[in-house]
Amino acid sequence: MTRFADLAELVRAPAALSVPGDVLSGAAAAGALGRRTPALAGASVLLYWAGMAANDWADRRLDAVERPERPIPSGRVRPATALGVAVGLTAAGLAVAGAAGGRRATAVAVPLAATIWGYDLRAKNTAAGPAVMAACRGLDVLLGASVGPARGRGGREAPPGARRLVRALPAALTVAAHTWTVTALSRREVSGADRRLPRATLAGTALVAATALGRPDPVPVVLAAGYAGRYGAAQARVLADPSPARVRAAVGAGITGLPALQGALTARAGARLLGLAVAAAAPLGRRLARLISPT
């Protein structure tokens, strides 16, 4: 019988701490924070876990060679079980998004789910892989902007649907750019990296952190600096020693450090306390990553 711990490893459960911040930063940027936002964040987590399970199912033969300790090649999770988990979580994520946000949320959640599966089944090992994964995260941010309260802050009328998505687009592009750097590095976790790669991703990280600052405000400045410092330092170590172990550590830093970036974006939109709460997931994610690898 498959153990819960094996399923948690299959879906890389702790890495999901990097997911709700997508929806929250998108909702904050769009002025769409409301009672339906937590449910949309829950739908996002379900779709993320589905993507992780589908990833391991699609990579089961490759992992048998490169990562035999993973749940499927080690025999702890059957391939059919992993596929069933991926399909079931996808259906659950779409159902939760639809229940929380109706047609508008579904109109974003369905392309998000399709992009996740497209990455796992087709795009991951192609040149388009990092861009497709970046699109997944960008759509996840826009999911938070898909629906909102009837009234915004101060009792003013909330922006209509299309305008909400436009307002959230800069945050979506920022998170997508960060995701591109992490995905590009992750493709060298086994073989190690050419030094040109960490140079490019480090420059991208600096640009991402700068775009998260916005207007002068100490909260997003501190959070963006913390994101850039930790993730940037891990990439600098890859630049000095581009070995597989250093690359994996940088990928882990990119995954567990994302909440700090999301927190900066949320705070930049005016939700400072929420931004700090989002960023608080970063140290927790680093602790849990010692138990279950996020990569």
Side-chain angles (χ1 to χ4, degrees):
M1 180 178 293
T2 303
R3 299 183 307 161
F4 177 80
D6 296 327
L7 293 176
E9 185 179 351
L10 176 74
V11 301
R12 298 164 177 82
L17 288 170
S18 72
V19 177
D22 287 344
V23 168
L24 294 172
S25 62
L33 286 168
R35 58 183 178 82
R36 291 179 285 189
T37 304
L40 292 176
S44 174
V45 169
L46 291 170
L47 292 174
Y48 181 87
W49 280 339
M52 293 295 100
N55 174 79
D56 271 26
W57 178 80
D59 279 0
R60 61 194 185 278
R61 294 182 180 86
L62 180 62
D63 283 347
V65 176
E66 295 183 347
R67 297 185 177 188
E69 75 281 0
R70 291 294 302 160
I72 296 177
S74 67
R76 290 176 289 132
V77 175
R78 294 171 57 243
T81 300
L83 181 59
V85 167
V87 172
L89 287 171
T90 299
L94 292 174
V96 171
R103 289 179 296 178
R104 288 178 177 171
T106 301
V108 179
V110 169
L112 171 58
T115 306
I116 290 170
W117 279 88
Y119 174 81
D120 287 333
L121 299 182
R122 300 284 298 186
K124 179 168 54 177
N125 296 318
T126 71
V132 175
M133 179 54 74
C136 291
R137 282 288 190 170
L139 286 168
D140 205 30
V141 174
L142 294 180
L143 180 63
S146 60
V147 293
R151 294 284 170 181
R153 277 182 283 172
R156 292 172 293 182
E157 185 176 356
R163 193 183 304 169
R164 283 197 300 266
L165 295 177
V166 171
R167 289 176 61 172
L169 192 57
L173 292 174
T174 298
V175 172
H178 163 80
T179 304
W180 184 92
T181 68
V182 176
T183 308
L185 285 168
S186 73
R187 292 155 70 93
R188 297 293 180 265
E189 285 183 308
V190 174
S191 62
D194 182 292
R195 282 186 170 85
R196 289 174 295 181
L197 177 60
R199 284 194 193 101
T201 60
L202 194 53
T205 297
L207 180 60
V208 164
T211 60
L213 296 178
R215 62 190 179 187
D217 186 313
V219 175
V221 167
V222 168
L223 294 180
Y227 153 79
R230 182 170 290 273
Y231 183 35
Q235 293 172 85
R237 288 190 286 272
V238 176
L239 192 57
D241 173 18
S243 64
R246 288 284 176 88
V247 174
R248 284 193 295 271
V251 172
I255 294 172
T256 59
L258 177 55
L261 174 62
Q262 296 160 334
L265 293 170
T266 304
R268 185 184 69 178
R272 295 177 182 83
L273 291 179
L274 181 59
L276 290 170
V278 169
L284 177 59
R286 289 193 292 271
R287 292 189 183 95
L288 292 176
R290 298 169 189 165
L291 302 175
I292 299 178
S293 173
T295 69

